Structure formats: structure tokens, C-alpha cells
Amino acid sequence: MNKVKGKLNDLKQFFNKDITEYVQKHKIPLIGGLVVFLLACVGMFVTYAFYQVSDITPVIGGTTGEIADLDVRVMAEERDANGSGLGSYSLYPYIPEAGYQYNASKSYCTNGSTITYNPTTYDADITAQGHDVCYLYFDSTANLDLTLHVYAENIDSDGYGTGQYTKLETTTLPTIGYTLNVAKSSCENGSTITYLEDENMFSIEATEKDVCTAYMDAMDVDIQLKLMIQAKSGSSTYYESKTIPTNVFYELGDQSACTGSANTDALSINNQKVVIAAASRTSCVAYLDVSSGPILESMGASVSGTSVTIDLGNSSAGTSPTTYYFSSNGGESYVSSTSPTYTFTDLTPLSEITFKAYSVDASGKTSGILTTTAETGYVFNGIYPYQNSVQTEEIEVSGYYKLEVWGAEGGPGYTYSTGGGMGGYSYGTVYLNAGDTLYIYTGGKGTVSKGSSTSKSGAGFNANAGSVTNGATAANYGGGGGGGSDIRINTDSIYARVIVAGGGGGKCGQATKAYCYGGDAGGTTGSRGTYQASTTTNKTYAGQGGTQTAGGATGTYSSYKGRAGSFGSGGYGGVRSSSSSYRGAGGGGGGWYGGGGGTYRYGGGGGGSGYVYTESTAANYPSGCLLNSNYYMTSAATIGGDTAFESPTGGTETGHSGNGYAKVTYVGQELS
């Protein structure tokens, strides 16, 4: 008779055979460990539900012949709290490599099979004929002691895990259909437990005595459960079915049983699924009797952005539910409602989500679980009215966004409610990444300037422009420039602006002159301010508009002048300084480049320019640009304040009046 040394992989060709078809001659290599504890976990093929073991399963191998239910039991000496042997023995889940010594004199087989144990390799060769039970005894040497408890997830009649676990009570763990739940598994004294899936072994790293618990989750377990469905209520006729019909409510009949199992609770029914939790290998037959309970017949899902509404339909054949349960994470957790409709909000954008739902009636009976999937959308409409400080927005979803900005109106001169230049409008589409931060500036409308001859005031926010006067009388006050509006990406710097709308220039302060208006914002170039037209010389009084590459020049009169515009800032208006009746000039509007300030008493400020960052306009950025080509805009334009364009509130407007404004709108993952 030849002895066959079994290997782990040898089992694979026998997984679809009953245990009685295994080889009659076989070897049982059992492997333990010291600090790294390799605990073998290969068991027999799961014929119906699963094998259940407490601790660990031995490796059982073989390749030929027949075997009649050979049972191998490892008996380890029990210990007290200090690890000392007590002289009594109990079943152990594996051959211990550390802390125990093989006792050949005590070891035996009840039917005459022979045991050959190798203490170097920790292998036991058993040569058997016919049915036999072999006992391998190990005496304690009071060294490292590790205990592993294993819990296997219960499975329903569709072969899916139920989320409930049963402690395994035999010495065989299933070799297919389970994986270690790392989050639930743990050791009392801090040892580390891992599962070597390729070898079907546990590994415990320990430095002291410890008790570990491993939870195994079910994966596609082959149950082979037999379902017998009652033909109609009260009938003695049953028919076999591979699935449970969903248009009738069933309860588990008294005839249901699991052969070979002493566990009378091996079968139960929940949510119209038969649940198996046998204490040992077993073949189950479930008889399902027609009964009365809640029945769900439909489940719909409607999507609105990141919100999904689930609507359930009840069957008239079932009882009336009192509570409904809804899940948006595939059944891991549920929320309850007395309504058959429930809306999940703030779900993960642009994701396919699995929803589950069931109902419960007044008697506590549960319907079957219905499942549907829905792909969430994403809607983002960022609205940013004027604010006298920066506003920030972190992008949640990568994709294309339309950016829109409206520049602010320039300020009026004293006694005038109008006269400032109109703000411009810029728009474009850019691809933004999740995590990008937008810094949003909305320009403020210019106000009447009341500055001294050496300071500026009256400029709207984000204009850095205004009108200067010596303050002789209130009638001398001119208007400050309107603020430009812009959006910056990832850095709060004017060198990170991807889009800009210019602000209008301010009106002059001469109370009797209605001609010196502020220039309208650009477009690519802001308009020049106007001036009193009594002489051609007065043309020099008004400030010029900003361009794509330079600030607008200041107005001039003799030796008196304001300030020119610059990158991001409008210039302030200048005054004559030798008369008590000096009038203030208008300040330049803010923008990509600011407009120049007017001068003397009759010059309006120039409008600031707009800008959109595109492949063709990137060259207009001065040295120090913080953007790259990934943020080039498409379908982009900047429009001047003397032209009709879209209004922030709908419709159209010719130039933007009042304070600035901004919008950010999600377009989609792709551009059509």
C-alpha cells in the first residue's frame, strides 16, 4: 500500500465530490507557528451551506482512492492561567508548533490506522483503511499560547451574506466563498491577524499569549439548498423551485429541516430569503408555505442632481405596511419612514448607487428586498453678488465650468446720480479639477470721492482707483472708478486671474459741467473718459482706457495730472492745486489693466479692460503668471460696457450698472 503525501492544491480537483469519494490513503500535514503563527484553514468542499469551526481547520490532502470519513482530532493539554499543564486534554484546532510537545504514547487511532509524526516539519502521516478516528495528543510546555476563534457569515438562499455571523464549532473551515473581514477581526492583546488567501491560511503575529477572533465574509458561496414551494394556501402539494416567487408572501413550513445537523435553528426566513446558519455540514430542504404579509411589487428611482427619490409600490395581494426601510449603500444600513417614498440627498455626484428597500407590516413581517440602481447627476450654480471682500469656492467635482463676471459701474460726481462709465462682461468655459479653489472678486460701484489733495478715495472694491481733491467744497468731489470683477484659481493673486470684467471710470466733480463722464469698461480696451468740450485743449483732461497689455494713460493739464492705470488697478484722478475752487477729476476703473484717472476739473476717468485666459491671450500676461495651459478657457469673450450682453438676473443689458457680480456654473464632464 503506497503512502500519498497530500498538498494543499491537491484538494482543488475534489471540491465537487462528496467526502466519501476522497482517497482512502492520505496524509494530514498540520502546520503551526511560533511568532508568526501560520494556521492552516483548508477544509472540505461546502456541499450545502458551510463548515463551521472554532479556531482553525487542519490541512487535509489526498489524490487517489476512497476514504470512509477519517476523523483526525488534535488533543492539546489544558492550561491554567499561568500556562502550566493541567493533565487534562481538549480538542485543539491545529497542531501547535510552539508551547506543546507531541505525546506518541497517548496518540492512537480507534480502528488501527497508524500515525507517523515528524516533530521537525510538524507533519502527521496517517495510513488508514476504512472508517477511523485518530487522536494526536500534545503535552503543554508552558510556552506561547494562541487561540483563534472563527466566525463565518450566514448566507441566504441566493448565496449572499446576511451580515450576521455564526461561530464555527467543528474543525473544518470552508475553502471557497469566504474572505477575511479585516475591520471586524481583532486580537485581545494586540497581536496581528491576517489571512493568506492563496494558501487558505491565517497568520498571527504575536509576542505573548493571545486570543484572536477572525470574521469571514461570504462571497458567492455554493449552497445547493432545495426549495419546495406550496402550490396554494393550505395545499399539501409542493413544487421544487430554484427561486422564491415574489408575488406571494411565504413563511417557513414545519417540514423544513437540515439533515446531519442537530441545530434546529439552521433555517430561518427573513425578507423572503431562506437564511442558513448550520452548526455543521448539512443538506437543507426549505418548505415555504403561502401566508399573509407585505409584498412590494415595484421600486422606482428619480434623479435630481445629487438627490435620488425612491418610490415603492405595494401589491394588493399583501398586507399594508406600517414602516418602510431604505438603503443607499447596498443594504449595509437602512433608514426608516412611514411613507413609501424617500429622498436621499447629498449623495456622491456622478456615481452609480445601489438602493435597496423593504417594508414591514403591523405584525412585524418583512417583505422581500427590492433593489435598483441610479446614477446621480451634479448641479452647481454658484452665484456671487457683490461683497466687499474675496469669496472662495472649492470645486467638488472635476469637469467643465462656465465662468461669468460683470464689472462695476464708475462713481458719479457731486450732485449727479449717474455719469460713471458702465461695467463690462466676460465669460468662458474652463476645466476645473476637484479640489481646485476659486477666489472670486466682485467689484464695487465707485462713490463720490472726498479725498484730500494727497490721498485717494471713492474707488469701488477691487478697483484701487478713485478721485483726489483738496476738499474745498462738496461741489468739487469727483467719482471713484468702478471695481473690476475677476476669478482666480488656486492662488489669491492678480497673477492667477483666469477671467476679468473691467469697471467703468468715474465722472468728474464739476457741478456745472455735464460732459465729463467716466469711460465705459472694456472689452479688450476700456473707453476713454469724456471732458468739457469748450476747447480742443480740454481733450487731454480725460483718462484713457486700459488695454490688454497696459494701463490707461492719465489725463493731463499743464503740470497737473492724475495717475495712469496699471495691471489690476485703475488710476486716481488728479487736481489743480493753486485755487480754492478746485474740482476733482474722475478715477479710472479697475480691470485686467486699469483705466487712467482724469485731471483738473473737467476730466472723467478711463474704463478698465476685461480679459479671458485662452491659448491666444496667454501671451498678454505679464511676467509672473501662476496659471498653466490646463486652465485655458474656451468659448470665451470679454465685452465692453457700451455693448448689449447678458444680465446677471436674466435678459440683456447695455453695460452693467451698480456693483459687480459673478457666476460659476457646472457644464458637464465633456463639452458638446
Side-chain angles (χ1 to χ4, degrees):
M1 181 165 49
N2 296 325
K3 185 182 297 183
V4 179
K5 183 175 182 179
K7 297 182 179 179
L8 190 60
N9 291 333
D10 292 338
L11 287 178
K12 295 180 179 178
Q13 59 185 305
F14 297 102
F15 279 161
N16 291 318
K17 300 179 181 179
D18 189 81
I19 188 171
T20 57
E21 299 175 0
Y22 273 72
V23 295
Q24 185 174 25
K25 298 173 293 182
H26 66 289
K27 176 180 176 181
I28 305 176
L30 298 156
I31 306 171
L34 185 55
V35 176
V36 178
F37 218 71
L38 294 179
L39 310 179
C41 302
V42 176
M44 299 296 188
F45 169 68
V46 184
T47 306
Y48 296 101
F50 50 75
Y51 290 98
Q52 299 183 318
V53 303
S54 67
D55 300 340
I56 206 61
T57 183
V59 177
I60 302 179
T63 57
T64 60
E66 289 188 358
I67 180 171
D69 297 332
L70 179 65
D71 189 357
V72 179
R73 301 176 184 178
V74 176
M75 307 299 294
E77 187 177 11
E78 296 177 336
R79 295 167 165 172
D80 60 21
N82 297 319
S84 300
L86 297 175
S88 55
Y89 296 80
S90 60
L91 188 66
Y92 210 66
Y94 49 84
I95 288 182
E97 183 174 331
Y100 290 89
Q101 179 177 316
Y102 179 65
N103 189 325
S105 62
K106 282 184 173 291
S107 301
Y108 68 98
C109 295
T110 59
N111 202 28
S113 299
T114 59
I115 304 171
T116 303
Y117 178 71
N118 188 332
T120 302
T121 60
Y122 306 99
D123 288 344
D125 286 348
I126 299 177
T127 303
Q129 290 285 353
H131 174 74
D132 210 342
V133 179
C134 296
Y135 294 85
L136 281 67
Y137 280 82
F138 291 84
D139 296 334
S140 172
T141 58
N143 289 324
L144 185 65
D145 184 11
L146 297 177
T147 301
L148 175 65
H149 301 293
V150 178
Y151 287 78
E153 187 178 18
N154 297 341
I155 44 184
D156 63 24
S157 49
D158 283 343
Y160 297 113
T162 65
Q164 303 296 318
Y165 296 82
T166 298
K167 185 179 180 182
L168 307 186
E169 301 295 347
T170 70
T171 57
T172 309
L173 184 72
T175 62
I176 60 171
Y178 287 85
T179 185
L180 181 68
N181 187 322
V182 177
K184 292 182 68 70
S185 303
S186 63
C187 297
E188 293 180 2
N189 293 326
S191 300
T192 301
I193 179 172
T194 56
Y195 178 60
L196 310 178
E197 187 171 353
D198 292 342
E199 301 178 46
N200 206 17
M201 292 182 177
F202 288 105
S203 171
I204 300 177
E205 295 186 15
T207 57
E208 58 180 318
K209 293 174 60 175
D210 211 343
V211 177
C212 299
T213 303
Y215 287 87
M216 303 295 288
D217 289 344
M219 301 187 311
D220 302 325
V221 177
D222 184 6
I223 303 174
Q224 299 183 21
L225 172 69
K226 190 173 184 179
L227 297 173
M228 301 300 295
I229 310 298
Q230 190 177 37
K232 62 180 181 179
S233 180
S235 173
S236 59
T237 301
Y238 292 82
Y239 65 91
E240 185 175 353
S241 175
K242 293 186 178 299
T243 60
I244 301 175
T246 59
N247 60 342
V248 179
F249 188 87
Y250 294 95
E251 289 188 298
L252 200 64
D254 294 338
Q255 301 177 66
S256 303
C258 293
T259 61
S261 174
N263 185 355
T264 58
D265 298 323
L267 289 178
S268 61
I269 189 168
N270 188 35
N271 294 119
Q272 295 297 281
K273 298 292 182 186
V274 175
V275 178
I276 306 170
S280 62
R281 185 169 61 127
T282 182
S283 171
C284 298
V285 179
Y287 286 84
L288 301 182
D289 293 340
V290 175
S291 183
S292 177
I295 301 173
L296 291 179
E297 64 180 5
S298 66
M299 180 180 185
S302 58
V303 179
S304 177
T306 56
S307 297
V308 176
T309 298
I310 302 299
D311 187 60
L312 301 176
N314 294 304
S315 171
S316 59
T319 59
S320 298
T322 57
T323 309
Y324 298 86
Y325 291 85
F326 302 85
S327 171
S328 62
N329 53 17
E332 292 183 17
S333 61
Y334 286 85
V335 293
S336 62
S337 173
T338 57
S339 170
T341 301
Y342 187 86
T343 299
F344 291 95
T345 60
D346 297 324
L347 297 170
T348 302
L350 305 177
S351 299
E352 185 173 85
I353 298 177
T354 298
F355 299 90
K356 291 180 178 289
Y358 66 94
S359 62
V360 180
D361 66 9
S363 64
K365 295 179 179 179
T366 59
S367 74
I369 297 176
L370 296 187
T371 301
T372 190
T373 60
E375 184 170 340
T376 55
Y378 181 63
V379 176
F380 182 81
N381 293 309
I383 303 297
Y384 310 94
Y386 170 70
Q387 180 174 299
N388 192 33
S389 61
V390 63
Q391 302 175 65
T392 60
E393 189 71 63
E394 183 173 344
I395 297 301
E396 181 181 1
V397 173
S398 297
Y400 289 95
Y401 291 79
K402 183 178 181 180
L403 309 184
E404 300 174 89
V405 285
W406 290 261
E409 179 185 2
Y414 183 72
T415 75
Y416 291 90
S417 60
T418 60
M422 295 292 100
Y425 168 62
S426 298
Y427 65 90
T429 302
V430 64
Y431 189 88
L432 298 174
N433 300 296
D436 281 346
T437 299
L438 303 182
Y439 296 89
I440 302 163
Y441 283 82
T442 48
K445 178 182 177 180
T447 61
V448 175
S449 174
K450 298 180 180 181
S452 69
S453 60
T454 58
S455 66
K456 59 181 182 292
S457 65
F461 173 71
N462 208 33
N464 197 23
S467 178
V468 175
T469 178
N470 68 350
T473 65
N476 298 335
Y477 302 147
S485 296
D486 67 71
I487 297 177
R488 309 167 187 190
I489 299 179
N490 290 333
T491 305
D492 189 5
S493 165
I494 61 173
Y495 290 91
R497 295 182 295 174
V498 71
I499 188 170
V500 183
K507 186 186 182 303
C508 75
Q510 170 57 277
T512 62
K513 305 298 179 183
Y515 305 104
C516 48
Y517 300 131
D520 293 326
T524 55
T525 302
S527 299
R528 182 177 183 176
T530 60
Y531 46 87
Q532 182 198 8
S534 59
T535 68
T536 57
T537 305
N538 293 347
K539 291 181 179 180
T540 63
Y541 294 175
Q544 298 186 34
T547 70
Q548 291 296 286
T549 57
T554 179
T556 61
Y557 173 75
S558 184
S559 61
Y560 309 108
K561 61 183 67 177
R563 290 287 180 90
S566 61
F567 184 63
S569 300
Y572 57 81
V575 299
R576 188 176 178 184
S577 58
S578 60
S579 170
S580 61
S581 60
Y582 304 141
R583 274 65 168 175
W592 173 243
Y593 278 91
T599 194
Y600 192 43
R601 52 186 174 180
Y602 304 135
S609 60
Y611 178 76
V612 285
Y613 182 63
T614 68
E615 184 175 7
S616 62
T617 65
N620 294 331
Y621 237 113
S623 177
C625 177
L626 299 174
L627 300 176
N628 58 45
S629 59
N630 293 330
Y631 295 107
Y632 283 159
M633 303 193 80
T634 58
S635 303
T638 179
I639 304 173
D642 58 353
T643 305
F645 47 69
E646 183 176 344
S647 167
T649 56
T652 59
E653 59 184 1
T654 300
H656 182 68
S657 60
N659 293 316
Y661 205 90
K663 287 183 178 181
V664 178
T665 306
Y666 174 74
V667 175
Q669 295 294 292
E670 297 180 355
L671 293 178
S672 58

